Amino acid sequence: GIQVEQSPPDLILQEGANSTLRCNFSDSVNNLQWFHQNPWGQLINLFYIPSGTKQNGRLSATTVATERYSLLYISSSQTTDSGVYFCAVRRSGGSNYKLTFGKGTLLTVNP
Amino acid sequence: GAGVSQSPSNKVTEKGKDVELRCDPISGHTALYWYRQSLGQGLEFLIYFQGNSAPDKSGLPSDRFSAERTGGSVSTLTIQRTQQEDSAVYLCASSLAVGGHEQYFGPGTRLTVT
């Protein structure tokens, strides 16, 4: 099946700093989503971005499908940004419609 | 409703008992998915439904697991004769249709088997 690798596995920032999280995948995809898992375990949708660039406030994401990677940018980080960030993809074609998740990046933002 | 809902939010059961977990998808979403999240395995796919049909059950970890969906809406995941390794958070998601559509997740059911 498709492989999804996220880096870095852990990231510690001071409030106000910027960061870039990376997601590499091993096959062509027609769905790529970024999630933030909050302290209660809820997966919050950040971006649906199988290709191109999107921005939402302090967060933005870029997916270069031809090179099989996606980047999540967090600017001016806040303590509330802390948590685990997951990248998940669905391989193009075939009949399996599942999302395959990476292992996540644990982000800690200190005041 | 506004989002995907799941019940119960927490379930503690004794080893060997059966449990039922419920998922109510976003209204109008025809596709529904079950995943589970455990410390050792991360987030893994279990099963999906297109309407009431589950074409691929290969993600279910054993024959003790089953799922059904009725009326193209609510789904129930049943685990028979629970084992300690079944302890995990069970997450449900829905999307407008299968394929490259955005999936939205519910809050999960935390299952603890003692």
Side-chain angles (χ1 to χ4, degrees), chain B residues 39-69:
Chain B
L39 280 177
Q41 301 298 323
L43 270 149
E44 57 179 338
F45 167 81
L46 299 178
I47 191 170
Y48 82 92
F49 289 88
Q50 174 57 36
N52 292 332
S53 172
D56 181 7
K57 300 180 181 179
S58 62
L60 295 176
S62 79
D63 58 8
R64 296 184 294 103
F65 287 70
S66 63
E68 65 175 13
R69 188 179 186 196

Side-chain angles (χ1 to χ4, degrees), chain B residues 6-28:
Chain B
Q6 293 185 245
S7 61
S9 54
N10 282 284
K11 177 73 176 178
V12 180
T13 190
E14 291 180 354
K15 177 182 171 181
K17 295 285 179 70
D18 298 352
V19 295
E20 283 190 354
L21 312 180
R22 176 188 167 107
C23 171
D24 206 335
I26 293 172
S27 177

Side-chain angles (χ1 to χ4, degrees), chain A residues 30-31 33 35 37 40-43 45-48 50 86 90 95-102, chain B residues 33 35 37 40 43-45 48 56 58 89 91 98-108 110:
Chain A
N30 67 356
N31 183 353
Q33 294 184 236
F35 298 92
Q37 189 163 42
W40 297 270
Q42 172 85 53
L43 284 171
N45 288 41
L46 297 178
F47 293 102
Y48 168 73
F86 288 103
R90 188 252 164 183
S95 57
N96 193 323
Y97 299 103
K98 68 178 182 180
L99 285 176
T100 300
F101 284 77
Chain B
Y33 313 79
Y35 297 82
Q37 186 174 26
L43 270 149
E44 57 179 338
F45 167 81
Y48 82 92
D56 181 7
S58 62
V89 177
L91 294 161
V98 295
H101 292 273
E102 188 170 5
Q103 295 186 21
Y104 297 86
F105 282 76
R110 181 174 298 277

